[in-house]
Amino acid sequence: MQRRNFLAAAASFLQPSPTTSWEWREYGADPSVTRFAPLNQVNTSNVEHLETAWTLETLPAGVRPQGTLECTPIVVDGILYLSAHGLHTHALEAHTGKLLWSNDGFDGGRRRTTAAGVSRGLTYWKDGRDERIFAPVREHIFAINAKTGKLIDNFGSGGAIEVQKNLGRDADPSMASTTPGVIFQDLLIITSRPAEGPDKSTPGHIRAYDCKTGKMRWIFHTIPHPGEFGYDTWSPDSWKYSGGTNCWGGMSVDHKRGLVFLGTGSPAFDFYGGDRKGQNLFGNCVICLKAATGERVWHYQIVHHDLFDYDIPCAPNLVTVRHNGKPRDAVAQVAKTGWVYLLDRETGKPLYPIEERPVPPSTVPGESAWPTQPF
């Protein structure tokens, strides 16, 4: 169902304040993607008294909805930023709902001002007085001045990154950006959503762009090229034609260690791998990269040669757990397999035993299912 409004709720007996000691500044709340707010004004004793504080209408009367609204807003210095109908970006006073500015993409008719598709959220970056919002809109990621709502024209190509470029081969025209990237220092690290059908697809390589210029600084090939680690886990020419292996659930960042973490989906086609024989790294993997360079630190594959569309559907959570009586920094990854994988943050080794067990072979002509899977 298309959601037309963005609503804010407040307890009727609380006075809204323009400032707070904690704000939801990132897509997953914080770099660790805890999705947790350490606020206690709203609790089990008063939640029943919540009432609408304000609403924002993002769909003009008589206009047919396009796409779906899946945005998790962010709040920075009392300003709420969100993506809404048409994938337009808006900035509001968080405590009043007053609209400060809206941005609908390129000026001058270079594209339609209303786009169908999905945007799950936005990314905020600041360097001195330079404040920017990075907004994924289909095949572009816009750089928007956080104060004025204007495109930053000298960023990338006319104010945007084109996600279908810099992949080393032609991209599927449907390839888009749907989930916000993460920030490490002056880098915007991004993901993508390629097609996953039996026809031509595009690899979901992970890329980092300069936050000021929009130039690509590094790329990690999720389908390895010749000479790269993991190349021999595919058919020899898979890097030329195979696709998928993308991250669509988001990423997390350990700023102290300088590491970025992500989970990948299945290679394309999702349900047949006769043309990509092998284990297929880095499909269906939890991956740790050096955030400054994109160099692989470790990986853990939860499904070998996926034939079941067992994508990793969300960002890894960075947690500290008590293990064997001692605190341990770890990565917790929820997966479609129904398990939560708990891995050492620096090595990627499982904290609890996981064994490789034989599984039945495929009976599909031309298919070569991997003989074992992790349990």
Side-chain angles (χ1 to χ4, degrees):
M1 181 176 67
Q2 175 73 25
R3 293 179 58 192
R4 296 182 55 183
N5 296 338
F6 180 83
L7 288 81
S12 59
F13 49 84
L14 298 177
Q15 292 298 317
S17 170
T19 60
T20 181
S21 58
W22 186 90
E23 294 179 321
W24 195 285
R25 288 175 167 249
E26 303 190 36
Y27 172 58
D30 51 46
S32 297
V33 193
T34 63
R35 300 186 184 275
F36 176 77
L39 305 175
N40 57 18
Q41 280 185 303
V42 178
N43 52 54
T44 55
S45 68
N46 62 29
V47 66
E48 65 180 311
H49 301 296
L50 288 178
E51 61 183 32
T52 302
W54 53 260
T55 64
L56 171 69
E57 175 60 76
T58 66
L59 181 64
V63 175
R64 183 178 179 179
Q66 296 194 52
T68 58
L69 301 189
E70 300 181 10
C71 176
T72 298
I74 58 175
V75 180
V76 180
D77 296 332
I79 306 300
L80 185 148
Y81 303 93
L82 73 149
S83 175
H85 166 71
L87 304 187
H88 298 173
T89 304
H90 307 280
L92 304 84
E93 286 187 351
H95 58 296
T96 67
K98 177 184 176 182
L99 183 64
L100 302 177
W101 55 255
S102 295
N103 181 288
D104 60 5
F106 286 129
D107 298 323
R110 288 179 57 189
R111 65 182 292 274
R112 292 180 61 192
T113 57
T114 297
V118 173
S119 171
R120 297 189 176 94
L122 308 166
T123 307
Y124 172 83
W125 175 78
K126 180 178 181 180
D127 181 22
R129 294 185 178 181
D130 189 356
E131 296 182 69
R132 303 186 178 189
I133 296 294
F134 297 108
V137 179
R138 293 183 61 85
E139 70 273 19
H140 292 98
I141 299 176
F142 291 111
I144 303 170
N145 184 305
K147 296 297 186 184
T148 67
K150 302 295 184 182
L151 283 185
I152 299 172
D153 291 333
N154 61 359
F155 176 88
S157 176
I161 292 169
E162 299 178 77
V163 299
Q164 295 177 359
K165 294 186 176 181
N166 297 316
L167 290 167
R169 73 190 216 209
D170 292 339
D172 177 354
S174 68
M175 186 176 188
S177 177
T178 56
T179 302
V182 294
I183 297 294
F184 178 77
Q185 296 177 356
D186 63 346
L187 293 177
L188 171 67
I189 305 173
I190 70 165
T191 63
S192 58
R193 188 226 62 200
E196 297 179 348
D199 299 324
K200 181 181 178 182
S201 183
T202 305
H205 301 325
I206 308 301
R207 290 166 284 172
Y209 289 81
D210 189 298
C211 286
K212 294 183 178 180
T213 66
K215 293 182 179 180
M216 191 175 77
R217 295 260 290 270
W218 59 254
I219 184 170
F220 174 78
H221 296 132
T222 58
I223 301 178
H225 287 200
E228 295 179 341
F229 184 92
Y231 168 75
D232 58 355
T233 67
W234 295 76
S235 298
D237 289 334
S238 288
W239 66 283
K240 296 180 180 179
Y241 58 78
S242 291
T245 64
N246 60 303
C247 171
W248 58 269
M251 296 172 283
S252 51
V253 182
D254 185 330
H255 287 275
K256 181 179 179 181
R257 291 180 171 89
L259 302 175
V260 60
F261 303 85
L262 60 125
T264 55
S266 59
F269 178 41
D270 305 53
F271 302 106
Y272 178 75
D275 58 350
R276 51 174 173 87
K277 297 181 186 296
Q279 187 177 349
N280 296 158
L281 295 177
F282 295 95
N284 309 85
C285 284
V286 184
I287 304 174
C288 173
L289 305 176
K290 291 184 179 179
T293 63
E295 179 184 352
R296 183 188 66 92
V297 178
W298 57 258
H299 74 276
Y300 186 84
Q301 189 174 49
I302 67 168
V303 178
H304 313 312
H305 188 79
D306 186 11
L307 305 174
F308 316 102
D309 193 27
Y310 277 162
D311 288 358
I312 292 179
C314 57
N317 302 123
L318 305 187
V319 299
T320 300
V321 299
R322 184 164 293 278
H323 184 254
N324 293 332
K326 297 180 180 179
R328 186 90 167 264
D329 288 345
V331 176
Q333 181 65 70
V334 176
K336 288 183 181 179
T337 56
W339 289 313
V340 176
Y341 299 84
L342 201 59
L343 311 172
D344 182 274
R345 198 179 304 177
E346 294 186 342
T347 67
K349 294 182 178 180
L351 269 60
Y352 296 96
I354 300 178
E355 62 176 335
E356 290 284 332
R357 296 180 188 171
V359 293
S362 173
T363 59
V364 175
E367 183 59 84
S368 296
W370 197 252
T372 63
Q373 293 292 349
F375 289 81

